């Protein structure tokens, strides 16, 4: 049991290396391939490829955000794209998966990026290790307001200081004719 | 078994959980844990009924909702051998397809959710444990 735990310990945060851990793969083979193909892993799309695919699909309002400090452990870039309808959003997801499949044509075992929200086309997240692509439709984009969330992330901690000062006890002004009753 | 340390258990029927998003609910009671015979753990989905809600929120008291457990008192093992556990049980309300109902998630959120395909909740979170 200890041996099993130790062999899995190097696969802590596998997404940091940019490689997903395919199930059932022999651990020793994984190590030998991880050091040689860490930077040239076929499974995960680079930023330029994602931008090209999104341009081909004609996604609106594509934004690339570098991840704020809070989320920096598990991703490097976040890409936001809007689709004009649910079908368009699903299409964007399909195009990205297709691109990932194409990239890995020669490989025996294909590693696909994980997709969430595929059945309902309102918000689809494609998680490919370092880069996370969010495909939303216009209503969802307004509703969740992801840019507002991430661009104001670092400044969210600062207003708290003023909040603490705001709760200073102020003696209430006694404008009535009655004298102040002492609280025993 | 030492009597000094508390034994934390699963989230099952009649467990009251805190809600950590801005969907309007404050407390929900679990009705069913969707996966697992003994109950739900960190990262699982549950069916719950809203017991307490903010007056003008998206969900009202008595509504049956789905939720994803983001904080659990029961420890969950990680791949490096460490274990995570929180002080209380908390949940984020989700609809049937897995879309979060609220727009922000408060408090720390463990990254077990990534493996369980709840990346949406992770993106809305303000702090990732």
């Amino acid at each position: 049991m200890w041996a099993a735990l130790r062999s899995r310990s190097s696969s802590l945060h596998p997404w940091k290396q940019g490689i997903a851990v395919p199930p059932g793969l022999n651990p020793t083979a994984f190590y030998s391939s991880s050091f040689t193909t860490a930077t040239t892993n076929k499974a995960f799309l680079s930023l330029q490829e994602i931008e090209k695919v999104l341009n081909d699909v004609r996604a609106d309002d594509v934004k690339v955000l570098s991840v704020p400090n809070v989320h920096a452990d598990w991703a490097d870039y976040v890409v936001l794209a809007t689709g004009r309808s649910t079908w368009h959003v699903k299409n964007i997801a399909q195009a990205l998966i297709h691109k990932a499949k194409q990239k890995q044509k020669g490989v025996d075992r294909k590693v696909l990026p994980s997709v969430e929200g595929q059945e309902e086309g309102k918000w689809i997240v494609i998680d490919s290790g370092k880069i996370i692509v969010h495909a939303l439709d216009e209503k969802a984009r307004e509703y969740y307001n992801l840019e507002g969330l991430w661009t104001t992330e670092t400044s969210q901690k600062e207003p708290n200081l003023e909040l603490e000062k705001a709760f200073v006890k102020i003696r209430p002004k006694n404008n009535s004719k009655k004298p102040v009753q002492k609280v025993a | 078994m030492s009597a000094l340390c508390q034994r934390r258990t699963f989230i099952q029927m009649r467990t009251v959980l805190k809600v950590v998003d801005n969907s309007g609910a404050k407390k929900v009671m679990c009705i069913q844990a969707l996966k697992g015979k003994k109950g739900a753990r960190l990262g699982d989905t549950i069916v719950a009924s809203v017991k307490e809600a903010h007056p003008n929120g998206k969900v009202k008291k008595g509504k049956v909702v789905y939720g994803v457990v983001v904080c659990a008192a029961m420890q969950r093992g990680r791949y490096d051998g460490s274990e995570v556990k929180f002080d209380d049980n908390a949940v984020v309300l989700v609809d049937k397809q897995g879309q979060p109902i609220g727009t922000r998630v408060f408090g720390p959120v463990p990254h077990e959710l990534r493996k369980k395909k709840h990346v949406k909740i992770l993106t809305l979170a303000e702090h990732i444990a």
Side-chain angles (χ1 to χ4, degrees):
Chain A
M1 160 110 163
W2 275 114
L5 269 178
R6 258 192 221 137
S7 67
R8 284 195 287 169
S9 65
S10 333
S11 52
L12 168 70
H13 296 305
W15 50 83
K16 269 193 186 163
Q17 305 161 3
I19 307 172
V21 183
L25 197 62
N26 190 10
T28 50
F30 173 65
Y31 296 150
S32 60
S33 64
S34 73
F35 292 110
T36 51
T37 63
T39 48
T40 61
N41 194 4
K42 288 185 185 174
F44 297 106
L45 310 164
S46 67
L47 257 188
Q48 290 86 20
E49 289 180 332
I50 290 181
E51 278 181 48
K52 189 166 164 256
V53 168
L54 290 175
N55 272 329
D56 287 340
V57 185
R58 274 174 285 180
D60 307 326
D61 203 13
V62 178
K63 276 201 193 151
V64 179
L65 301 166
S66 79
V67 182
N69 298 329
V70 179
H71 296 263
D73 285 341
W74 53 289
D76 281 343
Y77 290 107
V78 167
V79 182
L80 299 176
T82 319
R84 279 178 289 271
S85 67
T86 52
W87 192 87
H88 192 196
V89 171
K90 285 186 195 176
N91 216 18
I92 296 174
Q94 284 299 321
L96 286 166
I97 298 174
H98 185 65
K99 183 78 194 174
K101 277 191 196 172
Q102 262 187 344
K103 228 183 142 188
Q104 298 179 69
K105 251 194 172 159
V107 182
D108 300 330
R109 231 174 235 273
K110 291 201 171 70
V111 180
L112 293 173
S114 78
V115 183
E116 284 177 39
Q118 181 65 36
E119 310 86 38
E120 211 181 70
K122 289 207 182 139
W123 183 5
I124 299 187
V125 177
I126 297 181
D127 180 5
S128 56
K130 300 216 159 189
I131 304 177
I132 301 180
V133 185
H134 294 269
L136 311 131
D137 70 348
E138 283 145 7
K139 272 192 190 173
R141 190 142 187 173
E142 258 181 62
Y143 181 65
Y144 289 111
N145 194 14
L146 292 170
E147 299 105 325
L149 179 63
W150 286 320
T151 45
T152 60
E153 185 105 46
T154 43
S155 61
Q156 236 175 43
K157 307 266 172 99
E158 289 156 55
N160 272 333
L161 296 168
E162 283 138 323
L163 205 76
E164 276 152 12
K165 280 190 204 159
F167 282 116
V168 171
K169 246 190 172 174
I170 302 173
R171 191 166 278 251
K173 238 182 166 180
N174 186 22
N175 280 328
S176 69
K177 306 243 160 79
K178 280 189 188 172
V180 177
Q181 280 178 349
K182 277 204 172 175
V183 181
Chain B
M1 192 72 215
S2 132
L4 294 170
C5 64
Q6 205 179 11
R7 262 219 119 153
R8 310 293 185 96
T9 48
F10 296 87
I11 292 170
Q12 39 188 300
M13 204 188 289
R14 301 289 278 182
T15 309
V16 175
L17 300 112
K18 207 167 76 164
V19 174
V20 288
D21 60 2
N22 58 355
S23 59
K26 285 196 267 193
K27 293 246 157 88
V28 295
M29 183 183 286
C30 173
I31 307 176
Q32 184 74 260
L34 286 176
K35 274 207 168 172
K37 206 160 130 188
K38 294 181 207 167
R41 309 170 74 175
L42 200 75
D44 290 342
T45 349
I46 61 167
V47 186
S49 146
V50 178
K51 290 293 174 185
E52 234 182 83
H54 283 296
N56 42 354
K58 289 167 205 129
V59 291
K60 303 271 176 239
K61 187 180 154 182
K63 187 163 175 217
V64 171
V65 288
Y66 286 77
V68 170
V69 180
V70 299
C71 298
M74 177 159 168
Q75 65 272 11
R76 180 132 197 165
R78 286 199 168 163
Y79 294 117
D80 61 351
S82 66
E83 286 177 340
V84 214
K85 76 177 172 194
F86 294 84
D87 273 340
D88 56 354
N89 298 313
V91 80
V92 168
L93 299 188
V94 181
D95 71 359
K96 222 171 171 184
Q97 276 76 25
Q99 302 265 79
I101 299 180
T103 54
R104 297 287 182 266
V105 173
F106 305 112
V109 165
H111 55 244
E112 262 83 1
L113 298 182
R114 187 179 189 166
K115 193 81 192 292
K116 298 259 175 177
K117 306 237 173 175
H118 295 307
V119 179
K120 294 182 193 177
I121 300 173
L122 278 174
T123 57
L124 297 175
E126 61 173 28
H127 181 60
I128 299 190

